[in-house]
């Protein structure tokens, strides 16, 4: 918020390296603040990746309960840390990175770009959250017809771990970046398909069980209304259960299980 008021609503954003992430998670589990634990900014920088993004601050929200918050950033370009300027405020010198020259009309570039776009569209159909993210980017002048930007967009939609996203961020060869993003998108599509399959299986099972339960309850109510709450079949089942109860504790567990399952099936059958 202070940066916005000062007209400096841009920050350098760098992901933790693998070792830095492990240390951060370890400190978090102990309730420590890794930034406060470090004596100097240079010690903290050693845990961060060298290449990051120059990002615009779009929104800052504070949690007054524990003095934490969240920040929404819009990345604009790649940067590389080249030196430390000051400890307070934490400031580093950066070099702005550019993509390697490439032919936008190259057949391989165009074909890979089209496949990335196709994969993004498939993700939008599977999960509406992706659609909101793409719409947000398009409203903020994200160049959706630029192969370089499309590769970056595809990577932002993936839930891959930080190291895989970092490889896309560090890649300055646009064709190779498109290929890496496409691989991540295909993994994300498979993950979403598996998630939907599991979700549907659970929903179908719940629907079947719930329908059976309600039908059985309705059947009981109808029998009660007609004075048939305990028919011949129910009497037989009850009698068998009473007799079996005497030997249940001594019977093998597998036999008990099978008998109880068969009794349950018999109880659900309609009387003739």
């Amino acid at each position: 918020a202070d940066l916005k008021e000062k007209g400096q609503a841009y920050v350098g954003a760098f992901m933790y390296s693998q070792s830095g992430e492990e240390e951060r998670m370890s400190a978090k589990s102990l309730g420590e603040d890794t930034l406060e634990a470090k004596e100097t900014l240079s010690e903290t920088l050693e845990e961060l990746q060298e290449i990051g993004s120059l990002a615009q601050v779009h929104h800052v929200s504070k949690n007054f309960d524990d003095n934490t918050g969240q920040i929404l950033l819009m990345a604009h370009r790649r940067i590389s840390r080249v030196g430390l300027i000051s400890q307070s405020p934490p400031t580093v010198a950066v070099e702005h990175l550019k993509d390697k020259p490439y032919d936008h009309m190259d057949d391989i570039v165009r074909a890979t770009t089209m496949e990335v776009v196709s994969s993004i569209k498939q993700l939008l159909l599977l999960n509406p959250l992706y659609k909101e993210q793409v719409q947000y980017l398009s409203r903020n002048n994200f160049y959706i017809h630029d192969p370089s930007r499309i590769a970056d967009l595809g990577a932002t939609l993936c839930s891959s771990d930080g190291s895989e996203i970092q490889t896309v961020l560090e890649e300055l060869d646009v064709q190779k970046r498109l290929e890496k993003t496409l691989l991540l998108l295909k993994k994300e599509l498979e993950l979403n398909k598996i998630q939907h399959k599991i979700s549907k299986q659970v929903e179908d099972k719940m629907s079947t069980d719930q329908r059976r339960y309600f039908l059985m309850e309705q059947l009981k109510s109808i029998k009660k209304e007609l004075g048939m709450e305990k028919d011949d079949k129910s009497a037989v089942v009850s009698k068998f259960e009473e007799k079996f109860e005497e030997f249940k504790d001594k019977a093998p567990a597998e036999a008990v299980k099978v008998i109880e399952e068969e009794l349950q099936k018999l109880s659900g059958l309609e009387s003739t």
Side-chain angles (χ1 to χ4, degrees), residues 3-31:
L3 288 172
K4 278 195 166 187
E5 292 174 2
K6 295 177 182 178
Q8 301 172 338
Y10 288 87
V11 296
F14 299 89
M15 288 198 291
Y16 278 98
S17 61
Q18 184 172 356
S19 59
E21 178 66 15
E22 291 174 355
E23 183 174 343
R24 185 180 74 89
M25 295 303 294
S26 176
K28 185 177 181 181
S29 66
L30 297 173

PDB file of all heavy atoms in Angstrom, residues 3-31:
ATOM      1  N   LEU A   3       3.839   1.526  -1.227  1.00  0.00           N
ATOM      2  CA  LEU A   3       4.440   1.659  -2.551  1.00  0.00           C
ATOM      3  C   LEU A   3       3.494   2.363  -3.511  1.00  0.00           C
ATOM      4  O   LEU A   3       3.892   3.209  -4.302  1.00  0.00           O
ATOM      5  CB  LEU A   3       4.821   0.281  -3.111  1.00  0.00           C
ATOM      6  CG  LEU A   3       6.028  -0.418  -2.460  1.00  0.00           C
ATOM      7  CD1 LEU A   3       6.144  -1.837  -2.990  1.00  0.00           C
ATOM      8  CD2 LEU A   3       7.297   0.363  -2.755  1.00  0.00           C
ATOM      9  N   LYS A   4       2.210   2.006  -3.441  1.00  0.00           N
ATOM     10  CA  LYS A   4       1.227   2.634  -4.322  1.00  0.00           C
ATOM     11  C   LYS A   4       1.107   4.116  -4.044  1.00  0.00           C
ATOM     12  O   LYS A   4       1.024   4.939  -4.956  1.00  0.00           O
ATOM     13  CB  LYS A   4      -0.133   1.954  -4.153  1.00  0.00           C
ATOM     14  CG  LYS A   4      -0.272   0.666  -4.943  1.00  0.00           C
ATOM     15  CD  LYS A   4      -1.731   0.257  -5.022  1.00  0.00           C
ATOM     16  CE  LYS A   4      -1.922  -0.813  -6.075  1.00  0.00           C
ATOM     17  NZ  LYS A   4      -3.330  -1.116  -6.297  1.00  0.00           N
ATOM     18  N   GLU A   5       1.097   4.467  -2.774  1.00  0.00           N
ATOM     19  CA  GLU A   5       0.969   5.886  -2.402  1.00  0.00           C
ATOM     20  C   GLU A   5       2.167   6.690  -2.881  1.00  0.00           C
ATOM     21  O   GLU A   5       2.052   7.862  -3.211  1.00  0.00           O
ATOM     22  CB  GLU A   5       0.824   5.999  -0.880  1.00  0.00           C
ATOM     23  CG  GLU A   5      -0.495   5.427  -0.352  1.00  0.00           C
ATOM     24  CD  GLU A   5      -0.546   5.430   1.161  1.00  0.00           C
ATOM     25  OE1 GLU A   5       0.431   5.919   1.771  1.00  0.00           O
ATOM     26  OE2 GLU A   5      -1.557   4.952   1.730  1.00  0.00           O
ATOM     27  N   LYS A   6       3.332   6.047  -2.937  1.00  0.00           N
ATOM     28  CA  LYS A   6       4.542   6.729  -3.371  1.00  0.00           C
ATOM     29  C   LYS A   6       4.720   6.679  -4.891  1.00  0.00           C
ATOM     30  O   LYS A   6       5.698   7.193  -5.427  1.00  0.00           O
ATOM     31  CB  LYS A   6       5.768   6.090  -2.709  1.00  0.00           C
ATOM     32  CG  LYS A   6       5.794   6.248  -1.193  1.00  0.00           C
ATOM     33  CD  LYS A   6       6.991   5.521  -0.617  1.00  0.00           C
ATOM     34  CE  LYS A   6       7.020   5.624   0.902  1.00  0.00           C
ATOM     35  NZ  LYS A   6       8.165   4.876   1.481  1.00  0.00           N
ATOM     36  N   GLY A   7       3.771   6.042  -5.585  1.00  0.00           N
ATOM     37  CA  GLY A   7       3.879   5.920  -7.036  1.00  0.00           C
ATOM     38  C   GLY A   7       4.900   4.884  -7.452  1.00  0.00           C
ATOM     39  O   GLY A   7       5.421   4.930  -8.564  1.00  0.00           O
ATOM     40  N   GLN A   8       5.234   3.942  -6.575  1.00  0.00           N
ATOM     41  CA  GLN A   8       6.203   2.899  -6.866  1.00  0.00           C
ATOM     42  C   GLN A   8       5.537   1.530  -6.760  1.00  0.00           C
ATOM     43  O   GLN A   8       5.972   0.663  -6.014  1.00  0.00           O
ATOM     44  CB  GLN A   8       7.382   2.983  -5.894  1.00  0.00           C
ATOM     45  CG  GLN A   8       8.122   4.313  -5.942  1.00  0.00           C
ATOM     46  CD  GLN A   8       9.158   4.418  -4.838  1.00  0.00           C
ATOM     47  OE1 GLN A   8       9.063   3.739  -3.836  1.00  0.00           O
ATOM     48  NE2 GLN A   8      10.148   5.258  -5.056  1.00  0.00           N
ATOM     49  N   ALA A   9       4.461   1.365  -7.486  1.00  0.00           N
ATOM     50  CA  ALA A   9       3.672   0.144  -7.367  1.00  0.00           C
ATOM     51  C   ALA A   9       4.267  -1.002  -8.178  1.00  0.00           C
ATOM     52  O   ALA A   9       3.558  -1.779  -8.816  1.00  0.00           O
ATOM     53  CB  ALA A   9       2.238   0.409  -7.787  1.00  0.00           C
ATOM     54  N   TYR A  10       5.590  -1.139  -8.192  1.00  0.00           N
ATOM     55  CA  TYR A  10       6.272  -2.224  -8.869  1.00  0.00           C
ATOM     56  C   TYR A  10       7.289  -2.847  -7.924  1.00  0.00           C
ATOM     57  O   TYR A  10       7.961  -2.134  -7.169  1.00  0.00           O
ATOM     58  CB  TYR A  10       6.980  -1.734 -10.134  1.00  0.00           C
ATOM     59  CG  TYR A  10       6.037  -1.385 -11.256  1.00  0.00           C
ATOM     60  CD1 TYR A  10       5.473  -0.105 -11.340  1.00  0.00           C
ATOM     61  CD2 TYR A  10       5.683  -2.321 -12.224  1.00  0.00           C
ATOM     62  CE1 TYR A  10       4.584   0.219 -12.351  1.00  0.00           C
ATOM     63  CE2 TYR A  10       4.796  -2.001 -13.247  1.00  0.00           C
ATOM     64  CZ  TYR A  10       4.251  -0.737 -13.307  1.00  0.00           C
ATOM     65  OH  TYR A  10       3.373  -0.416 -14.305  1.00  0.00           O
ATOM     66  N   VAL A  11       7.375  -4.162  -7.952  1.00  0.00           N
ATOM     67  CA  VAL A  11       8.317  -4.872  -7.094  1.00  0.00           C
ATOM     68  C   VAL A  11       9.003  -5.969  -7.897  1.00  0.00           C
ATOM     69  O   VAL A  11       8.522  -6.379  -8.955  1.00  0.00           O
ATOM     70  CB  VAL A  11       7.611  -5.512  -5.878  1.00  0.00           C
ATOM     71  CG1 VAL A  11       7.016  -4.447  -4.979  1.00  0.00           C
ATOM     72  CG2 VAL A  11       6.533  -6.498  -6.334  1.00  0.00           C
ATOM     73  N   GLY A  12      10.128  -6.416  -7.387  1.00  0.00           N
ATOM     74  CA  GLY A  12      10.788  -7.576  -7.964  1.00  0.00           C
ATOM     75  C   GLY A  12      10.315  -8.821  -7.234  1.00  0.00           C
ATOM     76  O   GLY A  12      10.374  -8.871  -6.002  1.00  0.00           O
ATOM     77  N   ALA A  13       9.808  -9.800  -7.957  1.00  0.00           N
ATOM     78  CA  ALA A  13       9.279 -11.022  -7.347  1.00  0.00           C
ATOM     79  C   ALA A  13      10.170 -12.200  -7.726  1.00  0.00           C
ATOM     80  O   ALA A  13      10.407 -12.457  -8.911  1.00  0.00           O
ATOM     81  CB  ALA A  13       7.846 -11.268  -7.811  1.00  0.00           C
ATOM     82  N   PHE A  14      10.670 -12.904  -6.710  1.00  0.00           N
ATOM     83  CA  PHE A  14      11.553 -14.047  -6.928  1.00  0.00           C
ATOM     84  C   PHE A  14      11.059 -15.237  -6.112  1.00  0.00           C
ATOM     85  O   PHE A  14      10.695 -15.078  -4.947  1.00  0.00           O
ATOM     86  CB  PHE A  14      12.997 -13.710  -6.508  1.00  0.00           C
ATOM     87  CG  PHE A  14      13.600 -12.564  -7.273  1.00  0.00           C
ATOM     88  CD1 PHE A  14      13.450 -11.262  -6.816  1.00  0.00           C
ATOM     89  CD2 PHE A  14      14.311 -12.786  -8.439  1.00  0.00           C
ATOM     90  CE1 PHE A  14      13.993 -10.193  -7.508  1.00  0.00           C
ATOM     91  CE2 PHE A  14      14.869 -11.722  -9.139  1.00  0.00           C
ATOM     92  CZ  PHE A  14      14.707 -10.423  -8.678  1.00  0.00           C
ATOM     93  N   MET A  15      11.047 -16.401  -6.725  1.00  0.00           N
ATOM     94  CA  MET A  15      10.625 -17.602  -6.012  1.00  0.00           C
ATOM     95  C   MET A  15      11.787 -18.152  -5.188  1.00  0.00           C
ATOM     96  O   MET A  15      12.960 -17.911  -5.494  1.00  0.00           O
ATOM     97  CB  MET A  15      10.135 -18.670  -6.992  1.00  0.00           C
ATOM     98  CG  MET A  15       8.799 -18.335  -7.621  1.00  0.00           C
ATOM     99  SD  MET A  15       7.996 -19.787  -8.355  1.00  0.00           S
ATOM    100  CE  MET A  15       9.076 -20.112  -9.728  1.00  0.00           C
ATOM    101  N   TYR A  16      11.434 -18.901  -4.158  1.00  0.00           N
ATOM    102  CA  TYR A  16      12.447 -19.569  -3.366  1.00  0.00           C
ATOM    103  C   TYR A  16      13.087 -20.689  -4.188  1.00  0.00           C
ATOM    104  O   TYR A  16      12.426 -21.349  -4.981  1.00  0.00           O
ATOM    105  CB  TYR A  16      11.835 -20.183  -2.104  1.00  0.00           C
ATOM    106  CG  TYR A  16      11.655 -19.204  -0.966  1.00  0.00           C
ATOM    107  CD1 TYR A  16      10.433 -18.593  -0.736  1.00  0.00           C
ATOM    108  CD2 TYR A  16      12.716 -18.908  -0.107  1.00  0.00           C
ATOM    109  CE1 TYR A  16      10.251 -17.701   0.312  1.00  0.00           C
ATOM    110  CE2 TYR A  16      12.544 -18.012   0.944  1.00  0.00           C
ATOM    111  CZ  TYR A  16      11.324 -17.421   1.150  1.00  0.00           C
ATOM    112  OH  TYR A  16      11.157 -16.536   2.180  1.00  0.00           O
ATOM    113  N   SER A  17      14.384 -20.916  -3.978  1.00  0.00           N
ATOM    114  CA  SER A  17      15.030 -22.091  -4.545  1.00  0.00           C
ATOM    115  C   SER A  17      14.555 -23.301  -3.749  1.00  0.00           C
ATOM    116  O   SER A  17      13.877 -23.160  -2.731  1.00  0.00           O
ATOM    117  CB  SER A  17      16.549 -21.963  -4.451  1.00  0.00           C
ATOM    118  OG  SER A  17      16.936 -21.863  -3.084  1.00  0.00           O
ATOM    119  N   GLN A  18      14.912 -24.494  -4.181  1.00  0.00           N
ATOM    120  CA  GLN A  18      14.440 -25.695  -3.497  1.00  0.00           C
ATOM    121  C   GLN A  18      14.922 -25.733  -2.053  1.00  0.00           C
ATOM    122  O   GLN A  18      14.151 -26.011  -1.128  1.00  0.00           O
ATOM    123  CB  GLN A  18      14.918 -26.951  -4.233  1.00  0.00           C
ATOM    124  CG  GLN A  18      14.369 -28.244  -3.622  1.00  0.00           C
ATOM    125  CD  GLN A  18      14.688 -29.459  -4.458  1.00  0.00           C
ATOM    126  OE1 GLN A  18      15.260 -29.346  -5.532  1.00  0.00           O
ATOM    127  NE2 GLN A  18      14.339 -30.621  -3.976  1.00  0.00           N
ATOM    128  N   SER A  19      16.193 -25.413  -1.829  1.00  0.00           N
ATOM    129  CA  SER A  19      16.728 -25.415  -0.465  1.00  0.00           C
ATOM    130  C   SER A  19      16.096 -24.304   0.362  1.00  0.00           C
ATOM    131  O   SER A  19      15.802 -24.481   1.547  1.00  0.00           O
ATOM    132  CB  SER A  19      18.247 -25.247  -0.493  1.00  0.00           C
ATOM    133  OG  SER A  19      18.609 -24.022  -1.131  1.00  0.00           O
ATOM    134  N   GLY A  20      15.872 -23.143  -0.261  1.00  0.00           N
ATOM    135  CA  GLY A  20      15.252 -22.032   0.445  1.00  0.00           C
ATOM    136  C   GLY A  20      13.816 -22.322   0.825  1.00  0.00           C
ATOM    137  O   GLY A  20      13.356 -21.950   1.909  1.00  0.00           O
ATOM    138  N   GLU A  21      13.097 -23.032  -0.067  1.00  0.00           N
ATOM    139  CA  GLU A  21      11.705 -23.395   0.212  1.00  0.00           C
ATOM    140  C   GLU A  21      11.629 -24.385   1.370  1.00  0.00           C
ATOM    141  O   GLU A  21      10.752 -24.291   2.232  1.00  0.00           O
ATOM    142  CB  GLU A  21      11.066 -23.994  -1.042  1.00  0.00           C
ATOM    143  CG  GLU A  21       9.629 -24.446  -0.871  1.00  0.00           C
ATOM    144  CD  GLU A  21       8.660 -23.310  -0.601  1.00  0.00           C
ATOM    145  OE1 GLU A  21       9.039 -22.135  -0.819  1.00  0.00           O
ATOM    146  OE2 GLU A  21       7.538 -23.602  -0.168  1.00  0.00           O
ATOM    147  N   GLU A  22      12.558 -25.339   1.385  1.00  0.00           N
ATOM    148  CA  GLU A  22      12.575 -26.315   2.478  1.00  0.00           C
ATOM    149  C   GLU A  22      12.823 -25.635   3.811  1.00  0.00           C
ATOM    150  O   GLU A  22      12.193 -25.952   4.814  1.00  0.00           O
ATOM    151  CB  GLU A  22      13.651 -27.367   2.196  1.00  0.00           C
ATOM    152  CG  GLU A  22      13.311 -28.285   1.019  1.00  0.00           C
ATOM    153  CD  GLU A  22      14.451 -29.212   0.667  1.00  0.00           C
ATOM    154  OE1 GLU A  22      15.543 -29.073   1.277  1.00  0.00           O
ATOM    155  OE2 GLU A  22      14.268 -30.078  -0.216  1.00  0.00           O
ATOM    156  N   GLU A  23      13.760 -24.677   3.827  1.00  0.00           N
ATOM    157  CA  GLU A  23      14.061 -23.959   5.071  1.00  0.00           C
ATOM    158  C   GLU A  23      12.876 -23.105   5.496  1.00  0.00           C
ATOM    159  O   GLU A  23      12.549 -22.993   6.677  1.00  0.00           O
ATOM    160  CB  GLU A  23      15.301 -23.085   4.882  1.00  0.00           C
ATOM    161  CG  GLU A  23      15.725 -22.359   6.158  1.00  0.00           C
ATOM    162  CD  GLU A  23      17.034 -21.619   5.994  1.00  0.00           C
ATOM    163  OE1 GLU A  23      17.773 -21.915   5.044  1.00  0.00           O
ATOM    164  OE2 GLU A  23      17.314 -20.738   6.839  1.00  0.00           O
ATOM    165  N   ARG A  24      12.201 -22.478   4.527  1.00  0.00           N
ATOM    166  CA  ARG A  24      11.050 -21.634   4.830  1.00  0.00           C
ATOM    167  C   ARG A  24       9.919 -22.457   5.439  1.00  0.00           C
ATOM    168  O   ARG A  24       9.290 -22.052   6.420  1.00  0.00           O
ATOM    169  CB  ARG A  24      10.564 -20.937   3.558  1.00  0.00           C
ATOM    170  CG  ARG A  24       9.440 -19.931   3.790  1.00  0.00           C
ATOM    171  CD  ARG A  24       9.013 -19.295   2.488  1.00  0.00           C
ATOM    172  NE  ARG A  24       8.250 -20.225   1.687  1.00  0.00           N
ATOM    173  CZ  ARG A  24       6.928 -20.388   1.754  1.00  0.00           C
ATOM    174  NH1 ARG A  24       6.224 -19.682   2.623  1.00  0.00           N
ATOM    175  NH2 ARG A  24       6.312 -21.241   0.977  1.00  0.00           N
ATOM    176  N   MET A  25       9.635 -23.637   4.847  1.00  0.00           N
ATOM    177  CA  MET A  25       8.571 -24.491   5.363  1.00  0.00           C
ATOM    178  C   MET A  25       8.915 -25.019   6.751  1.00  0.00           C
ATOM    179  O   MET A  25       8.056 -25.154   7.610  1.00  0.00           O
ATOM    180  CB  MET A  25       8.324 -25.657   4.401  1.00  0.00           C
ATOM    181  CG  MET A  25       7.790 -25.231   3.029  1.00  0.00           C
ATOM    182  SD  MET A  25       6.258 -24.269   3.153  1.00  0.00           S
ATOM    183  CE  MET A  25       5.154 -25.511   3.810  1.00  0.00           C
ATOM    184  N   SER A  26      10.191 -25.320   6.958  1.00  0.00           N
ATOM    185  CA  SER A  26      10.624 -25.797   8.275  1.00  0.00           C
ATOM    186  C   SER A  26      10.429 -24.714   9.325  1.00  0.00           C
ATOM    187  O   SER A  26       9.930 -24.975  10.429  1.00  0.00           O
ATOM    188  CB  SER A  26      12.096 -26.217   8.220  1.00  0.00           C
ATOM    189  OG  SER A  26      12.556 -26.587   9.491  1.00  0.00           O
ATOM    190  N   ALA A  27      10.805 -23.473   8.985  1.00  0.00           N
ATOM    191  CA  ALA A  27      10.638 -22.361   9.916  1.00  0.00           C
ATOM    192  C   ALA A  27       9.167 -22.073  10.167  1.00  0.00           C
ATOM    193  O   ALA A  27       8.756 -21.763  11.288  1.00  0.00           O
ATOM    194  CB  ALA A  27      11.331 -21.111   9.360  1.00  0.00           C
ATOM    195  N   LYS A  28       8.344 -22.207   9.106  1.00  0.00           N
ATOM    196  CA  LYS A  28       6.904 -21.955   9.244  1.00  0.00           C
ATOM    197  C   LYS A  28       6.272 -22.948  10.203  1.00  0.00           C
ATOM    198  O   LYS A  28       5.392 -22.604  10.997  1.00  0.00           O
ATOM    199  CB  LYS A  28       6.240 -22.034   7.869  1.00  0.00           C
ATOM    200  CG  LYS A  28       4.763 -21.668   7.883  1.00  0.00           C
ATOM    201  CD  LYS A  28       4.193 -21.697   6.476  1.00  0.00           C
ATOM    202  CE  LYS A  28       2.719 -21.310   6.491  1.00  0.00           C
ATOM    203  NZ  LYS A  28       2.127 -21.348   5.127  1.00  0.00           N
ATOM    204  N   SER A  29       6.706 -24.223  10.127  1.00  0.00           N
ATOM    205  CA  SER A  29       6.156 -25.243  11.018  1.00  0.00           C
ATOM    206  C   SER A  29       6.507 -24.976  12.471  1.00  0.00           C
ATOM    207  O   SER A  29       5.807 -25.401  13.384  1.00  0.00           O
ATOM    208  CB  SER A  29       6.668 -26.624  10.606  1.00  0.00           C
ATOM    209  OG  SER A  29       8.070 -26.716  10.802  1.00  0.00           O
ATOM    210  N   LEU A  30       7.614 -24.240  12.682  1.00  0.00           N
ATOM    211  CA  LEU A  30       8.033 -23.887  14.043  1.00  0.00           C
ATOM    212  C   LEU A  30       7.498 -22.530  14.478  1.00  0.00           C
ATOM    213  O   LEU A  30       7.795 -22.069  15.580  1.00  0.00           O
ATOM    214  CB  LEU A  30       9.571 -23.891  14.127  1.00  0.00           C
ATOM    215  CG  LEU A  30      10.257 -25.239  13.865  1.00  0.00           C
ATOM    216  CD1 LEU A  30      11.768 -25.049  13.823  1.00  0.00           C
ATOM    217  CD2 LEU A  30       9.871 -26.256  14.932  1.00  0.00           C
ATOM    218  N   GLY A  31       6.739 -21.879  13.581  1.00  0.00           N
ATOM    219  CA  GLY A  31       6.157 -20.582  13.920  1.00  0.00           C
ATOM    220  C   GLY A  31       7.153 -19.452  13.842  1.00  0.00           C
ATOM    221  O   GLY A  31       6.986 -18.405  14.464  1.00  0.00           O
TER     222      GLY A  31
END
